[in-house]
Amino acid sequence: MKIERSVVVSLFVMSLFIMIPTADIRAQEYKYEIGGAAGTSFYMGDANKTQFYLHPGLSGGFLFRYNPNFLWSIKTGIFIANVSGKSDDSGNAFPYAQQASFQRTLVELGTQVEFNFFPYSDKYAYLGTRPYTPYLFTGAGVTYAEGNKKFIGANIPIGMGFKYKLKNRMNIGIEFSMRKLFGDDFDVTEKTTGWNLDNPFSIEGSFLKNKDWYSFTMIFLTWEFSMREDPCHGN
């Protein structure tokens, strides 16, 4: 899949961000955020090679952020989503005109590192902060999907987002991400020895090639807590 090249590109870009010095970027007022997210989800794989938002499902979950400074955040979340696919509208011609469809409910637990393009805060304007910022993120997670043939495996999320401070301690944002799986049987929900979408052309893929993906597009709302410093400090 062409989108697989974005894994290498995105990880390279994130590695460049890590080299950016942040010693002079002071920490924001609150250390932590907690909140929820909701949106849509879709699948890409042998039953959908190129079309975004084909057969969209619902997604949602809870997230927690640790903000060490204005530019970086570490996010942990648990999400649930529904995805589905049909090979007859995949654009692929399968051997012997075989067709298949599937539907999954998945649960994901993962952690991501976020890089803000602008120092993010609604205070400390003298440090160049802004109450909004686009950001990039990547990380790692574990995906479990129910079915007669269950799926469990690692994933690598790659995404971008935008967040804005509604008011002090309240944040709203939207983010889009693709989750790269390391298995090609995410779209196989039944135990079978016959033809299926695990290996429809009987061609073995590599560690990265011909693996499935799923995607989230979600709006989130978070609340900040745990002040970094005592407001009476220095009195």
Side-chain angles (χ1 to χ4, degrees):
M1 297 171 65
K2 293 182 179 179
I3 196 168
E4 290 170 1
R5 299 176 183 174
S6 65
V7 175
V8 176
V9 174
S10 297
L11 292 178
F12 175 73
V13 171
M14 290 299 294
S15 67
L16 291 179
F17 290 149
I18 294 174
M19 299 177 188
I20 297 175
T22 58
D24 295 331
I25 301 298
R26 300 186 184 182
Q28 64 186 60
E29 188 176 8
Y30 294 91
K31 292 185 288 185
Y32 307 116
E33 296 175 40
I34 192 169
T40 187
S41 52
F42 66 89
Y43 144 90
M44 296 188 76
D46 289 302
N48 175 26
K49 286 290 188 180
T50 60
Q51 298 183 62
F52 282 28
Y53 301 103
L54 183 64
H55 305 300
L58 296 177
S59 62
F62 299 95
L63 61 96
F64 172 86
R65 273 195 184 96
Y66 167 57
N67 302 301
N69 55 48
F70 291 139
L71 291 181
W72 293 95
S73 297
I74 300 172
K75 177 177 65 184
T76 296
I78 183 168
F79 301 99
I80 186 169
N82 180 263
V83 294
S84 60
K86 296 180 180 180
S87 59
D88 57 0
D89 55 15
S90 67
N92 277 348
F94 294 107
Y96 307 107
Q98 296 275 10
Q99 300 294 340
S101 63
F102 80 98
Q103 183 171 325
R104 288 269 202 194
T105 297
L106 67 92
V107 178
E108 177 193 287
L109 177 64
T111 298
Q112 294 112 46
V113 177
E114 299 177 346
F115 175 77
N116 300 325
F117 281 80
F118 307 134
Y120 182 62
S121 177
D122 58 351
K123 295 182 173 61
Y124 315 106
Y126 62 94
L127 294 175
T129 60
R130 302 186 189 185
Y132 59 88
T133 184
Y135 61 93
L136 297 177
F137 63 90
T138 188
V142 176
T143 302
Y144 169 82
E146 64 176 14
N148 183 256
K149 184 179 185 300
K150 294 179 172 56
F151 176 91
I152 184 167
N155 73 70
I156 293 181
I158 303 166
M160 64 183 70
F162 182 88
K163 51 189 172 184
Y164 172 75
K165 282 194 174 291
L166 284 174
K167 59 179 183 178
N168 187 33
R169 304 179 72 173
M170 293 294 296
N171 306 274
I172 191 170
I174 184 170
E175 65 179 41
F176 170 83
S177 64
M178 297 296 298
R179 262 66 171 177
K180 170 71 172 179
L181 296 170
F182 292 95
D184 200 30
D185 58 342
F186 181 71
D187 44 18
V188 180
T189 58
E190 300 295 328
K191 296 178 180 179
T192 175
T193 57
W195 182 91
N196 58 48
L197 292 172
D198 184 3
N199 190 2
F201 299 101
S202 299
I203 300 173
E204 292 299 324
S206 66
F207 180 67
L208 290 175
K209 188 175 177 60
N210 296 332
K211 307 304 180 184
D212 295 328
W213 299 71
Y214 61 90
S215 174
F216 292 152
T217 302
M218 292 194 288
I219 295 173
F220 63 82
L221 185 67
T222 62
W223 179 76
E224 298 174 357
F225 65 100
S226 185
M227 292 193 74
R228 196 170 300 278
E229 294 182 357
D230 186 333
C232 297
H233 177 70
N235 286 352

